[in-house]
Structure formats: structure tokens, C-alpha cells
Amino acid sequence: MGSSRALLLVAVAVAVAGLATANFRDDCDIPWEPQNARFTSDGNGLSMALVSNYSGCMLRTKKQFIYGTVSTLIQLVPGDSAGTVTTYYASSVGDNHDEIDFEFLGNETGKPYTLHTNIYADGVGNKEMQFKPWFDPTTGFHNYTISWSPCMIVWYVDSVPIRVFRNYQASHGVAFPTSRPMYAYSSIWAAEDWATQGGRVKTDWSKAPFVAHYDNIHLDICECGGYGGCATGCPAAAAPCQLSAAELGQMQWVQSNYRIYDYCADPKRSINGQKPVECGLAQY
């Protein structure tokens, strides 16, 4: 193991030290194309392959939760990954679903991935924010974390917050996920019709299989039981209700230097010339 990788893993270990260690093999299922998944001998590592336009792979936690923090290390598909989408997200099941997304949109060799974030609440999304990474996500593992509390949702990369979506449901009528249990998911799939430069660049299937690697999943969640009941007063729901001054500075640095799309700045997302309500409210 190289020294830079060792230092990264130490830093990530510190960042997730408070989270409960889980195991891909024991704590998750493969509901889609299990033949394209490979576990390490101890179950703590996982690779998932995109083999063709119709054959990718998906992993899902066995447990559902309302509120909590989910975290894992990911090494993205190297080389020409155009048209591929690797994901790490949380989602409910059924109508009017809630969802919190990390999606990693592949690109031509030598061009950066797009880190795509979004949130669905009551079945409505269209809250995208995108970034280019400040590192090469294909040469080593990096930690991606979703923290969901009653106050806010925070997306972290290597313990650096890149985005916040606050709960303004009661005060301003902005939909926020509060009641639908979610699973955590990881997947790799084909989306050459839109994923790379709006679909202009197609997947080079001669490069298949495209393989993404995952390591060390952590789940600190308010677990929901088999009868739909969810833990109340769960410590995992008691995350701070705003970023620290240091975290706010980190997020502002990322958004100033690496954000490439914000739905709040997109006139196509305005209605009668008005931006979505939450765009005028503090998000930290």
C-alpha cells in the first residue's frame, strides 16, 4: 500500500470512527444482477461491474431507516467511463418516494467525473447540484457520506461537507423527507443517453466491463423494523442542526471552486420568474 493511500485511509477511519461498521455481504442484498458483484473474503469489500447496456449491478441494505448517517469508500471506474453512472444513495420504496443521491457520472479518458447530488421529497426532485472533484476519484478510495437528520441533509466527501439541504417544511412548506423509511443503495448502470455531456458522448462498450470498487460500509441509522416501526429517540437522529464554522468554510470553498451546476441558479427551474422557495433560505 502506497503512503498516500495509507494516509487517506487513516483520515477516513478518523472521519467515520463514530459510525457503526457494517458488512457488504452480511448486511446487504444484491437485488439486481448479483452475478456482476464480487465480495472480498471478509465481506468488507465489494466490486460491481457494468457488463452491457442492460446488465449492471445494485446493492441494497437489508435494513430500512428514518434518519442516520451512511458512509462508504468508493473507487470509481478508471479510464474511459463515458455513459456510466456509479451511485451511492438512500431511497424509500413506493409512490411519492424520498431519495438522497450521490451519483458519479463517467467521462472520456482524461476528463473529470461529475459528482451529481439531488434530493427527492414527496416524489419531487429537480434539486440538482453538481461538482467536479478536486482529486482523481479513480486512483484510490474516497469516502462519501450522507447524513440525514430531522434538521438537515448533508453530503460529505472525505469528511468535507459539499452541500446542505435544510428542513424548511414547517416554516416555508418545502418538502423534506421525514416519514418514509429508506434503504441505502449502491449501483452501477448505463445512462449513455444523458450521463456524459448531455448524452453527446456514448459508451465505448469495447472497454466493458466497467468496474467500481467499494470498501468499509458504515451505518449509523435509526433502524425500522419488519412491521414498519422505526426507532424513536434514536441517537443517530441527533446530528447537529447546523455546520460548524470550520465546516461552513470548507463547504464554501468547495462550492466556490468546484461547483459546476446549481438548480437555484438555473432559470429553467424558476416558476413565473421565481426561484424555488428554498433557494432564498440559508442552507448551512
Side-chain angles (χ1 to χ4, degrees):
M1 179 184 294
S3 59
S4 60
R5 175 173 162 77
L7 288 172
L8 171 62
L9 291 179
V10 168
V12 169
V14 171
V16 301
L19 302 184
T21 301
N23 183 282
F24 288 111
R25 185 179 55 211
D26 298 338
D27 296 300
C28 303
D29 297 312
I30 309 288
W32 181 47
E33 303 285 47
Q35 73 277 8
N36 294 335
R38 298 287 184 274
F39 296 102
T40 58
S41 59
D42 60 5
N44 290 323
L46 167 73
S47 64
M48 292 192 293
L50 174 63
V51 177
S52 73
N53 196 31
Y54 305 102
S55 184
C57 196
M58 175 187 287
L59 172 136
R60 186 181 73 181
T61 56
K62 293 180 178 179
K63 296 177 180 179
Q64 292 178 288
F65 60 99
I66 292 183
Y67 304 130
T69 298
V70 294
S71 180
T72 194
L73 293 161
I74 306 174
Q75 182 174 355
L76 298 177
V77 176
D80 188 345
S81 58
T84 70
V85 179
T86 305
T87 73
Y88 184 61
Y89 65 104
S91 180
S92 65
V93 177
D95 296 336
N96 300 320
H97 82 295
D98 299 330
E99 184 172 323
I100 306 165
D101 288 340
F102 258 125
E103 294 186 328
F104 310 96
L105 312 184
N107 213 332
E108 299 170 288
T109 301
K111 295 184 179 179
Y113 264 78
T114 295
L115 274 60
H116 176 98
T117 66
N118 198 3
I119 177 172
Y120 286 77
D122 294 340
V124 179
N126 297 328
K127 296 177 176 63
E128 303 94 337
M129 192 177 288
Q130 296 181 337
F131 307 83
K132 60 181 180 180
W134 52 97
F135 51 87
D136 185 344
T138 72
T139 58
F141 285 93
H142 292 267
N143 180 263
Y144 301 92
T145 299
I146 295 169
S147 175
W148 173 31
S149 76
C151 299
M152 63 183 184
I153 295 163
V154 188
W155 292 256
Y156 292 91
V157 178
D158 291 335
S159 77
V160 174
I162 65 170
R163 180 184 181 183
V164 170
F165 188 86
R166 293 196 63 84
N167 184 353
Y168 286 114
Q169 184 166 293
S171 60
H172 291 81
V174 179
F176 187 89
T178 58
S179 61
R180 296 180 180 89
M182 296 196 196
Y183 293 99
Y185 294 83
S186 302
S187 67
I188 184 168
W189 51 285
E192 65 179 1
D193 57 330
W194 65 269
T196 303
Q197 299 177 37
R200 186 183 67 82
V201 182
K202 304 301 182 182
T203 304
D204 181 354
W205 290 108
S206 71
K207 302 291 197 301
F210 302 96
V211 181
H213 298 276
Y214 292 75
D215 197 31
N216 290 333
I217 185 171
H218 291 77
L219 305 172
D220 184 15
I221 57 177
C222 298
E223 183 180 340
C224 297
Y227 296 97
C230 298
T232 58
C234 172
C241 282
Q242 72 184 90
L243 299 181
S244 69
E247 288 177 320
L248 179 58
Q250 290 175 320
M251 186 176 74
Q252 290 172 336
W253 172 78
V254 171
Q255 293 191 0
S256 295
N257 293 283
Y258 298 98
R259 185 172 60 190
I260 57 176
Y261 177 82
D262 180 2
Y263 78 103
C264 285
D266 186 347
K268 295 178 182 178
R269 295 296 165 82
S270 297
I271 299 176
N272 297 324
Q274 298 296 314
K275 294 181 180 181
V277 173
E278 67 273 14
C279 294
L281 303 172
Q283 299 289 346
Y284 54 85

